[in-house]
Amino acid sequence: MKALEPPDTHHLLAAVGWLELRNHVEAGEEIARLTPSSLDHPDGRQVRWEICAAGSSCEPALPVAERLVEVAPERCSGWVYRAYALRRVKSGGLPLAWAALRPAFDKFPKEEVVSYNLACYAAQFGRLDEAWDWLHKARQAARDVKKIKERALADLDLQALWDRIRQL
């Protein structure tokens, strides 16, 4: 895929800066300045999704994530973003999020975020042993095992496993 060029790179970086400042409205104004081809570029799509998510807008975030998976299937983020949005949109839910993310593990077995989210989904389904297995896979893939434990102990999706996680 062709790299983005100025002025689009400047708008994209400005949008990221606004997101870092927790201002998704200004980020959205910057991203809207991208050319149509840059809006469809994986980098543009990724930032667009982050803007939607920062504004708690999963309905518009879903097609952005779906297109990201389509144009850049090698990016783990698109798969995770799509599942995240599917879980939260009106026509979605946990089963659709699971179905969308589960194939990502086969594609990205060393990405802790995929296993971690699958652990959360399995726990929410009440499949606690399976959730524990997914969490173990996330820990194996993690660069910082301590952070995975801390994150899991703060994650309400994994609350049913907190006693087991504390023993890690």
Side-chain angles (χ1 to χ4, degrees), residues 90-125:
K90 290 176 190 154
S91 62
L94 201 53
L96 290 176
W98 173 274
L101 189 59
R102 177 55 189 87
F105 177 76
D106 298 330
K107 194 167 182 62
F108 308 103
K110 295 186 189 301
E111 292 289 341
E112 69 185 70
V113 66
V114 174
S115 301
Y116 183 89
N117 282 313
L118 289 169
C120 291
Y121 297 167
Q124 289 303 293
F125 284 131

Side-chain angles (χ1 to χ4, degrees), residues 4-152:
L4 296 179
E5 296 180 4
D8 287 339
T9 52
H10 302 300
H11 295 305
L12 192 66
L13 288 172
V16 169
W18 283 114
L19 283 172
E20 289 172 355
L21 292 171
R22 300 188 192 284
N23 189 331
H24 69 278
V25 174
E26 290 292 336
E29 290 180 18
E30 282 296 336
I31 207 80
R33 293 184 175 109
L34 293 179
T35 60
S37 63
S38 292
L39 274 173
D40 201 40
H41 187 278
D43 294 340
R45 288 222 162 252
Q46 183 149 337
V47 174
R48 281 179 65 199
W49 188 91
E50 292 170 8
I51 291 167
C52 290
S56 301
S57 303
C58 285
E59 295 293 335
L62 180 56
V64 173
E66 287 174 333
R67 181 71 177 146
L68 180 56
V69 171
E70 187 178 310
V71 299
E74 74 285 353
R75 285 192 184 201
C76 178
S77 59
W79 296 78
V80 173
Y81 292 169
R82 180 177 62 181
Y84 180 92
L86 274 168
R87 182 176 179 183
R88 289 158 180 84
V89 296
K90 290 176 190 154
S91 62
L94 201 53
L96 290 176
W98 173 274
L101 189 59
R102 177 55 189 87
F105 177 76
D106 298 330
K107 194 167 182 62
F108 308 103
K110 295 186 189 301
E111 292 289 341
E112 69 185 70
V113 66
V114 174
S115 301
Y116 183 89
N117 282 313
L118 289 169
C120 291
Y121 297 167
Q124 289 303 293
F125 284 131
R127 302 187 316 234
L128 300 182
D129 288 338
E130 183 179 358
W132 184 254
D133 290 342
W134 284 114
L135 188 59
H136 179 71
K137 288 176 177 138
R139 292 182 74 235
Q140 286 179 320
R143 291 180 189 91
D144 188 339
V145 176
K146 184 179 177 185
K147 283 188 180 180
I148 289 282
K149 179 179 179 180
E150 290 170 4
R151 180 178 174 197

